[in-house]
Amino acid sequence: MQLFSCLSAIPVRSSRLPLLSDAMPAPTHLFPLIRNCEISRICSTMCYCHHKHLCCLSSHFAHGHFRYAPQKKFAALYRPKENFYQFIHARDYASTPQRFYLTPPQVNSILKANEYSFKVPEFDGKNVSSVLGFDSNQLPANAPIEDRRSAATCLQTRGMLLGVFDGHAGCACAQAVSERLFYYIAVSLLPHETLLEIENAVESGRALLPILQWHKHPNDYFSKEASKLYFNSLRTYWQELIDLNSGETTDVKEALINAFKRLDNDISLEAQVGDPNSFLNYLVLRVAFSGATACVAHVDGVDLHVANTGDSRAMLGVQEEDGSWSAVNLSYDHNAQNEREVERVKAEHPKSEEKSLVKQDRLLGLLMPFRAFGDVKFKWSIELQKRVVESGPDQLNDNEYTKFIPPNYHTPPYLTAEPEVIHHKLRPQDKFLVLATDGLWETMHRQDVARIVGEYLTGVHHQQPIAVGGYKVTLGQMHGLLTERRAKISSVFEDQNAATHLIRHAVGNNEFGAVDHERLSKMLSLPEELARMYRDDITIIVVQFNSHVIGAYQNGEL
Amino acid sequence: MFLRLLADVRWRGADPKWRSVACCRGASGTAESQPVPLPAQARVVICGGGITGTSVAYHLAKLGWKDVVLLEQGRLSAGTTRFCAGIVSTARPVSIELKMADYSNKLYQQLEQETGVQTGYVKTGSVSLAQTQDRLISLKRIASSLNVSGIPCEIISPKQVAQLHPLINIHDLVGAMYVPEDALVLSANVSLALATAASRNGVQIHERTSVSHVSVQKGRVTGVETDRGHIKCQYFVNCAGQWAYELGHSGEEPVNIPLHACEHFYLLTHPLKEPLASNVPTVVDPDGRIYIRNWQGGILSGGFEKNPKPLFTEGRNQLEIHNLQEDWDHFEPLLSSLLRRMPNLEALQIMQLVNCPESFTPDMRCIMGESPTVRGYFVLAGMNSAGISYGGGAGKYLAEWMVNGYPSENVWPLDLKRFGTLQSSRTFLRHRVMEVMPLMCDLKVPRWDFQTGRQLRTSPLYDRLDAQGARWMEKHGFERVKYFVPPGKDLLDLDQSKTFYKPDWFDIVGSEVKCCKEAVCVIDMSSFTKFEISSTGDQALQSLQYLFSNDLDVPVGHVVHTGMLNENGGYENDCSIARLSKRSFFMISPTDQQVHCWAWLKNHLPEDSNLTIEDVTWKYTALNLIGPRAVDVLSELSYAPMTPEHFPSFFCKEMSVGYANGIRVMSITHTGEPGFMLYIPIEYALHVYNEVMNMGQKYGIRNAGYYALRSLRIEKFFAFWGQDLDAFTTPMECGREFQVKLEKGMEFIGQEALLEQKQNGVYKRFTMFILEDHDTDMDLWPWWGEPIFRNGRYVGKTTSSAYSYTLERHVCLGFVQHFDEKTGEELVVTTDFINQGEYEIDIAGQRFQAKAKLYPFSSLFAQRRRKDEVELSGYQRE
């Protein structure tokens, strides 16, 4: 939804905006959002829409663009003229008659570049896990992509962790969270003895018990430079857990909440303390000043916990008895559309701030998600921010964004990383779980997501081969039957990955809900600087459950 | 299931006679439960009781080799042979395949009479349909070829098609080819009949015996290990069909047999209400990818889909065998195609969809011959779904090969030695057969290339050349440049550039040729096979003198062009040999000779530790500098005089080029144009190339490809081994007497045969034809295999052709024979016979006048050569 919230003011049919109609001769009803908006906010167009979460003051802070971009962008906010110039520029680009279509293989290679599948290995020809496996994929709109994903199996406890992370104001925070959060969760879940064992091993320099087995796509990287720093913070955490030894068995919900909060706390602390290594020092600051939402699922047998911070979403795909598909939300969005969230925020601050807390559906008029990791601009006191920025490296000091203090900033913190955790007991009819960043949900309704994934998964696995056997079948009848079957599977046929299939639909669906190659081709061939106007980064994980095992759990067989 | 039952019934029908033979043969033969013990030794052991194995056994016995044992792991003809569609079709584009199919057809026809086993042979004829003009052209080409081979065949109109077959929808047809003598057989029974006949001739057949591996000692087959014991033998024949690859790899000394199985589906129906007549012709609809034959009043229809399902990639796999089920969804496109061709079949009831795996090879041709690494190890497999059509003929050729040392026809296109280890990767085979199987039905236009399994062997300059617009073709896994597309010029994409007419690269190659003639061009020719032969004493010279027909005892630094001949004087290889020193030689042969030539040398050179051969193909990058300005470029780069006075043609010298030292420079170009071949140690390749290109700039240098080379060499009448020359062509027959030194004072292989030819004359003569009334823009282009007519009578076929940009005419090369007008007997071909005739070349049924020449146009040679090489002019090899 956020995608066009700032762009929204553009009247599509206006002759001043050949951009949309040139680049996308698709019918305007593909962009209903655009139509519905007022004209008044037109001056805040371009740079807003580049960075949805953090209204306009943002993300060229991210490495790469850093050196030159911020000033220009920042200035643009106040000088609509320059903004308009930018706009014209973009228009020139798009209106050159570039009728270049991607071929289906090219489309596929773009869509499949980041796809990853994991099948839970079988032992003795049996898979006793409640998870069959998962498919994941990402489609960037930002360059570089600001979304991250993680998946890992806990080795010292049972269960599997999966998560999607949507970064804003750069990808540093999302990257750090994607690397670190699962360790915090895994440590939180560990029994006291295991923690002791691990601590002793570290103390005496012995080999450490492996905690997590990661399931990573080659593009999912870990930063080597910071690993020592991250490890030390993690170690401090488990040392405290050892000291605190409550003796109680670990509650998953509790563990998830603690892990989220602790990691966010560590991110904040690391930025305050700094690091003698200038690279690392800059890194921890970038992590803290950028932000990320997180939506993490922990599956152990029939126990499914979803911890969510921010506006990514988890959805359960349920197959009804009649074979149809329905969607069950397993997370609440933390944004202005969630009244409870608005109430919560308001309750945490004095009445005098009530009006300025949420403006234009954003926290302090700036931030879309109401909960997030990092984003110390919304958490630290003004004094702390100033101190850190001034003592920080020059790059930070020269940056307009970091110096900028949100308006009406009176009683920090305004933002928390504390997740809401939902527990769900898996049933045999629960076939899959979709974790996705808002890039998916703003283009597709969850009901459609449930149906498309459901049909994909069953189509792949349950279209029984036809056998003539002893029946009397004529060639004509068989031909009719086969033609029908082919029509059904043709759209599924191209993808071996449910997440890819979903992205194909999210990006390429036409008004009839069918994938339109021409549209898909256009959406994927948009130049970098335009892509972000039409879509957000999309990250999807589809976890497929093992109904047999879940059924067996239910019957007490396992 | 039904088919299996059916076949079982037939099996019993055939059984008594065969069993009785078995009884005579076996010691006890009373009960099946007590198998006849295996013999301790035999001359030949054949593994595989399908059509190929039984055919080899049959023909070996016919040729007098009766001490033969045939082993079958299951029951006779129970594999692919049992399930295949049983169509005998002679319409094959490759002439050796056509001959095999023709022989098979004649063999099967009389087999029932010979053996008493019912073979179900019915002469139905076949109709190949054309939905497009291009398809019709390709059918016409085949028809020309069939007609001159004595196989009746005609091109017919759609209306005539309707008269031949009552069910065909002819609305989308442009024509068809009718071959009235094609036939249907019961394939399993044909195989049984062959087994029966072989068995009567003394061949021992043992079922339910599987071969685990072949024992090899000192590079020779010594025996076969089976699950029922060991058999000592001298020869082993691998006829294991789709298991041939695995069997080849099972021994200590692996034998690479590059083939891979794919699932193949066909449909069987119940009989029609009005059952089809038993002699209704088989229909092949290549554009629809299907074939349709009569089957017990109903139809049998299968095809070659675009998306084949390869199987057994990881070897024999029980799971996959059991999963071989009907896959209707996979068959859907073929079913649609069938109903489009015969709409009236809609109401016909299905009996079964049969899944019958077939094995395919990397180049769509079957594999036969002796292993290059293990002597006595023969192979016949990879029939590309035409096992029945080829089985008879292929078995005959292989038997001849074993008994006589070589078959009675040139089978190089099918020789196992055309492949090396580089084609034996499972991944390569899997990918390649997925391309090959659909190709069975695809239109084969001149110069098509495989798209899979590419970029395996490349020159170090590959990326440089590719960036400059190179378009590539592949030979023996090596990427070679066809031509360079100039920047800014777009060619049609692959599909559209398929044509039988003037291709879209015509002008591009024209300008490359022009540059070769007027300035200088560089062609990367690194794919050539390169061997070094050296010895401590003069063993190298002695043995090479025996192997080669030309005199190699030349001064150091000379390059000699010579054939490597067999006993009959035929070319086993055609190469250039440089004498590097008194005791070492550098030998350059065609790319696809790498395995064959190596095996030949290994088999013919004496075992002497002082004599070494090394394959140095990979060590050198070869650049061909062609053109009048090559001299200038090279002398500027080396500060050495390169003019003919200092560096006469057919010289070889190691020198420095640019900074790089040790470059072997030879004054030959394989085109008859002036210039040099540079053999560059690979680490210097890029440096030398860059230097040459920089220095060459002022002389107008540019890159060129093999198409330009081909045009240059063909207009100068240079024969090319593998295309024009083969094991059945002698130097005398292609005007290369000067390369044979009968008086060199040493005996050499093939000498006697050549002496005889010299005295008695030759029976075919390599001739060059210039097409006279051929319009390059409008008419079909010649390719190869076009029949040649002299005074209206068929005298031979072309072997290669190219457009000569200098003569502005098409040039075809080919062999002319002289058949007696009455008896058809082959007569000596004299110069007068060639010169006193009116010639025509038949391109897809259309005849073009041609002028015959026995010598190239001297005007085409820019430079005079050393005296002894003037006439030698460039019978060099490309």
Side-chain angles (χ1 to χ4, degrees), chain A residues 472-476 479 485, chain B residues 329 332 336 346 348-350:
Chain A
K472 288 185 177 178
V473 186
T474 68
L475 290 178
H479 185 231
R485 280 163 68 95
Chain B
D329 292 304
E332 189 267 339
S336 300
E346 284 231 346
L348 190 57
Q349 210 181 320
I350 296 166

Side-chain angles (χ1 to χ4, degrees), chain A residues 463-483 485-486 489 493, chain B residues 267 269 299 307 325-329 331-333 335-336 338-339 345-353:
Chain A
Q463 189 150 20
Q464 292 294 333
I466 306 180
V468 177
Y471 300 104
K472 288 185 177 178
V473 186
T474 68
L475 290 178
Q477 288 166 338
M478 179 59 86
H479 185 231
L481 181 62
L482 294 175
T483 318
R485 280 163 68 95
R486 194 175 57 153
I489 59 170
F493 199 65
Chain B
L267 172 79
T269 71
I299 60 141
N307 53 333
Q325 288 164 350
E326 49 194 324
D327 184 343
W328 280 99
D329 292 304
F331 193 70
E332 189 267 339
L335 179 59
S336 300
L338 170 65
L339 290 177
L345 295 186
E346 284 231 346
L348 190 57
Q349 210 181 320
I350 296 166
M351 178 170 287
Q352 197 191 7
L353 185 65

Side-chain angles (χ1 to χ4, degrees), chain B residues 394-414:
Chain B
K396 174 184 154 215
Y397 290 140
L398 192 79
E400 287 173 351
W401 200 331
M402 294 171 67
V403 174
N404 304 332
Y406 204 79
S408 55
E409 291 283 346
N410 168 38
V411 294
W412 169 249
L414 315 176

Side-chain angles (χ1 to χ4, degrees), chain A residues 77-337:
Chain A
L77 178 67
Y78 302 103
R79 281 188 288 147
K81 220 172 150 191
E82 185 173 335
N83 193 3
F84 187 62
Y85 163 78
Q86 256 193 338
F87 189 69
I88 296 291
H89 182 71
R91 177 190 139 184
D92 285 348
Y93 190 99
S95 58
T96 44
Q98 262 199 320
R99 284 286 167 263
F100 173 72
Y101 290 116
L102 300 173
T103 62
Q106 285 173 317
V107 164
N108 284 343
S109 77
I110 294 174
L111 288 180
K112 295 181 180 189
N114 293 316
E115 71 178 16
Y116 177 82
S117 286
F118 174 76
K119 294 265 166 288
V120 172
E122 299 179 343
F123 297 102
D124 272 351
K126 273 186 284 186
N127 173 6
V128 292
S129 163
S130 57
V131 175
L132 283 174
F134 70 87
D135 290 339
S136 76
N137 200 352
Q138 293 188 309
L139 181 70
N142 291 305
I145 186 168
E146 294 179 349
D147 277 7
R148 292 293 184 272
R149 59 182 154 171
S150 293
T153 305
C154 299
L155 295 174
Q156 301 306 324
T157 55
R158 297 191 311 168
M160 195 164 181
L161 284 165
L162 304 117
V164 294
F165 311 97
D166 184 351
H168 49 264
C171 58
C173 186
Q175 174 64 33
V177 174
S178 74
E179 289 177 37
R180 303 176 69 180
L181 182 57
F182 287 9
Y183 281 114
Y184 280 73
I185 296 172
V187 163
S188 309
L189 287 168
L190 288 179
H192 185 67
E193 309 79 62
T194 318
L195 285 174
L196 272 179
E197 202 178 319
I198 290 176
E199 173 58 23
N200 289 337
V202 176
E203 192 63 36
S204 55
R206 277 186 282 121
L208 215 56
L209 287 174
I211 298 176
L212 291 174
Q213 186 199 347
W214 292 96
H215 311 301
K216 287 197 296 188
H217 186 273
N219 291 357
D220 301 338
Y221 62 94
F222 276 10
S223 80
K224 284 205 180 67
E225 298 81 1
S227 61
K228 183 82 185 144
L229 174 76
Y230 290 170
F231 177 77
N232 287 338
S233 296
L234 182 68
R235 188 180 174 192
T236 314
Y237 176 41
W238 79 55
Q239 284 170 341
E240 282 175 30
L241 285 176
I242 291 172
D243 292 344
L244 276 173
N245 181 17
S246 54
E248 293 166 27
T249 48
T250 332
D251 175 53
V252 178
K253 183 173 176 177
E254 203 74 12
L256 286 165
I257 293 174
N258 289 343
F260 271 60
K261 286 163 75 176
R262 176 66 184 210
L263 173 59
D264 192 48
N265 200 40
D266 282 354
I267 288 173
S268 170
L269 270 179
E270 283 156 9
Q272 291 171 42
V273 173
D275 194 284
N277 174 324
S278 67
F279 176 83
L280 279 183
N281 194 31
Y282 182 42
L283 177 75
V284 295
L285 286 166
R286 276 192 296 147
V287 169
F289 275 89
S290 59
T293 73
C295 185
V296 173
H298 177 263
V299 197
D300 175 11
V302 289
D303 289 306
L304 168 63
H305 286 85
V306 175
N308 184 47
T309 286
D311 54 4
S312 292
R313 198 182 285 172
M315 185 212 84
L316 194 63
V318 181
Q319 189 165 31
E320 305 295 342
E321 275 178 20
D322 64 355
S324 67
W325 295 93
S326 61
V328 173
N329 271 354
L330 287 183
S331 67
Y332 304 111
D333 297 352
H334 299 140
N335 58 18
Q337 277 70 45

Side-chain angles (χ1 to χ4, degrees), chain A residues 107 175 232 243 362 364 388 396 404 413 444 483 510 513 516 544 553 557:
Chain A
V107 164
Q175 174 64 33
N232 287 338
D243 292 344
R362 289 162 184 263
L364 297 179
V388 170
L396 196 66
F404 171 79
M444 277 183 111
T483 318
N510 62 13
D516 174 355
Q544 209 186 337
Y553 266 108
E557 291 163 22

